[in-house]
Amino acid sequence: MKARNDPTPLSIWIIAALWALGALAPTIRWAISAWPTSGGSVVALVIVTLVFVVYHAAALIRLSRWPIVLQVAALAWSVLSRTLGGNFDVGPTSALGLFMMWVPFGVYLACTLPHWRKMNWAFFGRPYRPHAHLEETFA
């Protein structure tokens, strides 16, 4: 597998950590409240969520473009299903919901898209390996 020469930018590390915490918090909160009634489905959902969060964070840190593509597709699917399903309200409560959905997504894109040219299309990203001549210079 090819390595990349650019280290992971700090904004990618920050957004990967924030995204992971933001994705796990509601799942853990739901798991604690739903455990007494349906233990098996809670375990299954928590495992699926953990796999997705670990993939997303690891691939983003290894500068893969796929987490961004999947995030945009998930948001587009959410908006499209709400619109076609008739659940897309217009009013003060829906405006707050839209604000709470689009602001974090805007921050996510603002932290990741400036590094798009450094990123690669490998599904899990590529490991970081500095140039050999840099190692010789600072050794």
Side-chain angles (χ1 to χ4, degrees):
M1 174 180 267
K2 273 177 61 178
R4 59 188 166 85
N5 299 325
D6 299 319
T8 305
L10 183 60
S11 63
I12 298 283
W13 282 100
I14 291 170
I15 205 65
L18 288 176
W19 189 90
L21 289 174
L24 286 177
T27 304
I28 291 171
R29 195 175 326 121
W30 173 81
I32 290 170
S33 66
W35 179 258
T37 57
S38 55
S41 62
V42 169
V43 170
L45 180 69
V46 168
I47 289 173
V48 167
T49 304
L50 277 175
V51 166
F52 182 69
V53 166
V54 167
Y55 162 73
H56 189 95
L60 199 58
I61 288 169
R62 292 170 59 110
L63 295 182
S64 174
R65 291 176 178 162
W66 283 107
I68 299 170
V69 171
L70 293 174
Q71 195 69 22
V72 169
L75 187 67
W77 178 263
S78 173
V79 169
L80 186 64
S81 64
R82 287 180 187 185
T83 303
L84 294 178
N87 296 334
F88 207 75
D89 249 351
V90 181
T93 58
S94 66
L96 180 64
L98 284 174
F99 180 77
M100 295 303 288
M101 179 172 69
W102 287 103
V103 168
F105 185 65
V107 170
Y108 178 86
L109 290 179
C111 289
T112 55
L113 286 183
H115 309 291
W116 185 262
R117 292 174 148 248
K118 293 181 196 174
M119 296 174 128
N120 55 68
W121 283 106
F123 195 67
F124 289 102
R126 292 192 179 121
Y128 169 63
R129 301 279 189 269
H131 288 292
H133 65 82
L134 290 177
E135 291 173 359
E136 293 170 3
T137 303
F138 295 109

